């Protein structure tokens, strides 16, 4: 398993917020829902993405956008159009002065907007999840990542467009899995761009020494790895591996491994009801106490406090 595969294996949508937006201009929507990650596919007409810090960016039909939360942003027909709608946490919809607008904008099953046959159409999906593995991935993304339609095309967009308005048994699960697949496809396209500012772990995948070392680590997190052991596996000296790894990744091998292990532990705490002892063994710690000590040092809370916090958030 390579580092990208390991990170992409984390997203698991559960009851993700999804809709088809249909709008006639003028329109402007202020997004402050604090979702950790959202996707938007432009289906018809153009739109402007306006971050609080940064220049407006135009998107056209075929473009895919990844929004990295939780910072707010605005989507509008024109950069000068003032926000008319505000999307709050929990996808609560109001006017800027707080008047509820959810019913007024409801156009049917997962359909939303100010006109059923509006000139602008977008498909939108928002994850509500939190998790350390996902955060490691998002840290490699800008607040707004745009994959242009003239550089890629995925059949998943058409499938999502067909499925998003259906109201059939199991439809939420179908849409969740489609959103996961579309996120993965979009991230791969983003990182594969010729001018992409790739994170160290992505660039290192093609390195003759660091690439195999990364795959070994991600294949077996529970193995009691040492730098000497890892160096022997990839056929170089301990010093050579340590130097090359740090240059490519930006941190030593064991520091990188600790970060991945603790991120995986956080993900398991979020996604499963496994005991702390079981989680510790799965990610390479000898017992629950050792994991708890390292986890609190990294996250500032104990594993139990982390799990309880997610359950009550």
């Amino acid at each position: 398993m390579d580092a990208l595969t390991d990170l992409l294996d984390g997203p698991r949508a559960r009851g993700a917020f999804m809709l088809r937006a249909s709008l006639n201009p003028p329109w402007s929507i202020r997004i402050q829902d604090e979702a950790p990650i959202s996707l938007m596919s432009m289906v018809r007409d153009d739109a402007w993405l306006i971050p609080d810090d940064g220049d407006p960016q135009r998107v056209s039909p075929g473009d895919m956008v990844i929004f990295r939360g939780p910072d707010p942003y605005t989507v509008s027909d024109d950069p000068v159009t003032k926000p008319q709608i505000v999307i709050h946490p929990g996808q609560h919809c109001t006017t800027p002065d707080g008047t509820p607008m959810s019913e007024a904008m409801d156009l049917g099953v997962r359909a939303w907007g100010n006109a059923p046959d509006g000139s602008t159409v977008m498909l939108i999906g928002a994850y509500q999840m939190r998790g350390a593995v996902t955060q490691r991935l998002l840290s490699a993304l800008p607040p707004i990542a745009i994959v242009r339609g003239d550089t890629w095309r995925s059949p998943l967009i058409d499938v999502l467009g067909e499925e998003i308005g259906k109201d059939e048994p199991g439809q939420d699960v179908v849409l969740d899995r489609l959103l996961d697949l579309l996120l993965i496809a979009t991230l791969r396209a983003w990182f594969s761009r010729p001018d992409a500012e790739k994170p160290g772990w992505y660039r290192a995948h093609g390195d003759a020494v660091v690439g195999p070392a990364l795959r070994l680590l991600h294949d077996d997190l529970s193995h009691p790895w040492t730098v000497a052991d890892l160096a022997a596996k990839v056929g170089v000296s301990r010093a050579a591996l340590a130097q090359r790894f740090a240059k490519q990744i930006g941190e030593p091998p064991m520091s990188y491994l600790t970060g991945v292990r603790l991120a995986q532990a956080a993900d398991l705490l979020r996604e499963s009801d496994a005991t702390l002892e079981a989680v510790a063994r799965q990610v390479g710690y000898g017992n629950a106490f050792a994991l708890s000590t390292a986890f609190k040092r990294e996250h500032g809370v104990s594993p139990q406090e982390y799990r309880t916090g997610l359950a009550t958030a």
Side-chain angles (χ1 to χ4, degrees), residues 76-292:
S76 68
D77 70 309
D78 190 289
V80 301
T81 305
K82 299 297 183 182
Q84 303 148 343
I85 300 293
V86 180
I87 308 298
H88 302 274
Q91 307 306 322
H92 177 52
C93 171
T94 72
T95 61
D97 65 5
T99 303
M101 288 293 290
S102 296
E103 290 188 11
M105 302 294 284
D106 188 354
L107 298 178
V109 178
R110 301 185 194 88
W112 182 94
N114 62 17
D117 298 314
S119 60
T120 303
V121 175
M122 301 171 285
L123 302 180
I124 299 166
Y127 285 77
Q128 305 300 322
M129 64 182 184
R130 291 173 296 164
V133 171
T134 300
Q135 188 57 46
R136 285 173 65 89
L137 174 60
L138 296 182
S139 66
L141 291 168
I144 297 177
I146 303 173
V147 178
R148 298 296 180 183
D150 58 0
T151 64
W152 86 303
R153 180 64 185 172
S154 172
L156 292 168
I157 297 173
D158 293 333
V159 176
L160 181 61
E162 293 178 3
E163 294 287 339
I164 201 167
K166 293 182 179 179
D167 188 17
E168 299 179 2
Q171 194 65 18
D172 286 346
V173 176
V174 171
L175 292 172
D176 282 348
R177 297 293 75 78
L178 279 173
L179 184 61
D180 290 339
L181 291 171
L182 187 56
L183 172 61
I184 292 170
T186 306
L187 287 168
R188 288 174 60 185
W190 170 259
F191 286 126
S192 297
R193 295 171 306 121
D195 59 343
E197 295 183 7
K198 302 176 179 66
W201 50 260
Y202 188 95
R203 296 193 305 271
H205 174 65
D207 186 88
V209 172
V210 182
L214 284 172
R215 285 188 285 275
L216 285 167
L217 293 177
H218 284 272
D219 273 341
D220 192 358
L221 287 180
S222 63
H223 184 81
W225 292 107
T226 65
V227 177
D229 186 20
L230 194 59
K233 293 282 189 181
V234 298
V236 297
S237 70
R238 182 181 181 277
L241 174 62
Q243 183 179 29
R244 194 155 171 172
F245 197 101
K247 182 178 179 180
Q248 291 277 341
I249 303 298
E251 60 182 323
M254 295 301 101
S255 174
Y256 176 85
L257 177 60
T258 296
V260 173
R261 281 173 167 170
L262 294 176
Q264 288 282 19
D267 213 38
L268 288 168
L269 290 169
R270 174 175 60 87
E271 294 284 355
S272 75
D273 58 359
T275 65
L276 187 57
E277 193 73 31
V279 171
R281 290 196 301 270
Q282 190 166 336
V283 300
Y285 283 87
N287 53 55
F289 178 77
L291 173 59
S292 294

